[in-house]
C-alpha cells in the first residue's frame, strides 16, 4: 500500500492522468480494500463496496457463478450429462476457484484440486472432501473436466498431450499458452470453452457498477453466459472448428452489429 499512498500525494484525481482510459478492479490477489485504497488516487476504479441498490463489491462470486453455469452447459453438450458424479480437476483455489469448487460440490461433482498455498487448499479439502494433488500434476489427473483457475498459460502443448479430461472450462485469463493449443484441443476431441466467454461474470459486475446499474442487471447478464456457451459449442461442432476461433468470430459479429446500430 505504500506505493499507492505515495502516489495519492503526487496525483490530482482531476488531472490529465485521470481520464478513464482504463478502469481497474479486482484481479489475482487483490481485494475490495485494495480498490478502496486505489480510489483515493483515481475515480476510475470498480469493485468497491456497493451503494444501496447498486452493483459492486467483490466480483469473484459472479465470475465463479458464470464459470459454473458455463460448465453445466458445456457438460450437457460435450459429455451428455450434468455435473453430478463427474470429476472436475480445479487448478487454483483463490477467490474464484474456491467459490467454483463450492458450486461444484453442491452439484454433486467430485473434486481434485491443486494450489501452491497449503492453507486455502487444505481448508477446501476438509470442507468439500476434495482430493489434493501437486500443481504440476493437476492437468493430467483422471478427470472429466479440467478447470484452469490460476494464472494464464495453463494450456500448453505438453499439457494438452497429457490431458485426460474431455472438457476444459475454467476461470483463468489467457489460458492458451499459444494460439495453436486451441487447435490441438480440437484435434484431440477436447471441448474447450474460451476463458473470456466463461469468466465474463466478474467484468459484467464491475462494468454494471461503473455504469451505475444494479444487481438485477448483473444477474440477468450472468444468466445469459451459459446459453451463449451452448450456442458457441453447437456452432463450433456444426462447423467442425475450434470453439476458440468461433468465439472470436461471434465476438467480432457482436461488435460489428453494435457499430452498425450506433451509426444508423
Amino acid at each position: 500500500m505504500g506505493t499507492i499512498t505515495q502516489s495519492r500525494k503526487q496525483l490530482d484525481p482531476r488531472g490529465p492522468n485521470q481520464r478513464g482510459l482504463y478502469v481497474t478492479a479486482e484481479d489475482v490477489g487483490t481485494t475490495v480494500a485494495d480498490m478502496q485504497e486505489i480510489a483515493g488516487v483515481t475515480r476510475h476504479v470498480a469493485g468497491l463496496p456497493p451503494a444501496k441498490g447498486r452493483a459492486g463489491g467483490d466480483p469473484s462470486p459472479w465470475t465463479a457463478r458464470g464459470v459454473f453455469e458455463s460448465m453445466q452447459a458445456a457438460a450437457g453438450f460435450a459429455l451428455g450429462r450434468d455435473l453430478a458424479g463427474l470429476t472436475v480437476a480445479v487448478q487454483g483455489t483463490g477467490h474464484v476457484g474456491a467459490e467454483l469448487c463450492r458450486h461444484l460440490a453442491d452439484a454433486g461433482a467430485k473434486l481434485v484440486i491443486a494450489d501452491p498455498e497449503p492453507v486455502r487448499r487444505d481448508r477446501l479439502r476438509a470442507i468439500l472432501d476434495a482430493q489434493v494433488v501437486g500443481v504440476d500434476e493437476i492437468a493430467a489427473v483422471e478427470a472429466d473436466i479440467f478447470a484452469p483457475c490460476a494464472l494464464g498459460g495453463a494450456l500448453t502443448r505438453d499439457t494438452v498431450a497429457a490431458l485426460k479430461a474431455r472438457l476444459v472450462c475454467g476461470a483463468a485469463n489467457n489460458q492458451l499458452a499459444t494460439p495453436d493449443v486451441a487447435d490441438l484441443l480440437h484435434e484431440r476431441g477436447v471441448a474447450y470453452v474460451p476463458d473470456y466467454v466463461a469468466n465474463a461474470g466478474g467484468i459484467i459486475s464491475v462494468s454494471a457498477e461503473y455504469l451505475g446499474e444494479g444487481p438485477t442487471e448483473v444477474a440477468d447478464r450472468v444468466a445469459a453466459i451459459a446459453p451463449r456457451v451452448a450456442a458457441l459449442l453447437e456452432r463450433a461442432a456444426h462447423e467442425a472448428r475450434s470453439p476458440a476461433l468461433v468465439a472470436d468470430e461471434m465476438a467480432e459479429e457482436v461488435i460489428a452489429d453494435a457499430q452498425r446500430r450506433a451509426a444508423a
Side-chain angles (χ1 to χ4, degrees):
M1 293 297 181
T3 302
I4 295 174
T5 302
Q6 182 179 12
S7 298
R8 180 186 290 133
K9 299 175 183 178
Q10 298 169 345
L11 291 177
D12 178 354
R14 298 163 297 177
N17 294 318
Q18 306 300 307
R19 293 172 181 164
L21 296 178
Y22 182 81
V23 178
T24 195
E26 288 87 344
D27 206 333
V28 179
T30 57
T31 65
V32 172
D34 295 325
M35 297 307 109
Q36 289 177 290
E37 185 75 9
I38 293 170
V41 178
T42 175
R43 64 185 177 86
H44 301 296
V45 57
L48 297 167
K52 185 176 181 180
R54 300 279 285 272
D58 180 6
S60 62
W62 289 112
T63 304
R65 167 60 66 177
V67 173
F68 170 70
E69 294 182 358
S70 295
M71 195 180 293
Q72 283 184 310
F77 180 84
L79 307 180
R81 54 179 295 183
D82 61 23
L83 295 171
L86 294 181
T87 299
V88 184
V90 181
Q91 180 190 53
T93 58
H95 289 173
V96 175
E99 185 71 10
L100 174 62
C101 285
R102 296 183 186 100
H103 286 308
L104 290 169
D106 289 343
K110 302 173 185 176
L111 294 170
V112 183
I113 62 175
D115 194 291
E117 174 50 59
V119 173
R120 65 188 183 195
R121 177 197 67 200
D122 293 344
R123 183 185 301 120
L124 275 182
R125 171 169 57 182
I127 296 172
L128 304 179
D129 192 28
Q131 177 188 349
V132 172
V133 300
V135 174
D136 59 347
E137 302 173 78
I138 186 68
V141 301
E142 292 285 352
D144 300 290
I145 302 170
F146 177 48
C149 296
L151 299 179
L155 296 171
T156 66
R157 296 181 69 90
D158 290 341
T159 299
V160 173
L163 199 66
K164 296 181 177 64
R166 293 176 291 158
L167 168 62
V168 175
C169 179
N173 292 320
N174 306 314
Q175 293 170 18
L176 303 174
T178 53
D180 64 297
V181 173
D183 296 327
L184 296 177
L185 288 166
H186 181 59
E187 290 167 9
R188 287 205 57 202
V190 178
Y192 171 59
V193 180
D195 42 53
Y196 66 85
V197 181
N199 71 12
I203 194 64
I204 287 171
S205 174
V206 298
S207 63
E209 173 188 353
Y210 198 71
L211 295 171
E213 297 175 338
T216 299
E217 287 87 349
V218 177
D220 289 345
R221 290 184 191 131
V222 171
I225 295 174
R228 191 175 300 123
V229 167
L232 162 65
L233 294 178
E234 288 173 6
R235 175 168 163 178
H238 177 73
E239 298 176 2
R241 294 195 298 148
S242 164
L245 296 176
V246 175
D248 287 350
E249 288 184 4
M250 291 174 71
E252 289 164 0
E253 290 165 5
V254 170
I255 293 169
D257 182 62
Q259 291 174 333
R260 283 192 295 270
R261 286 188 282 107

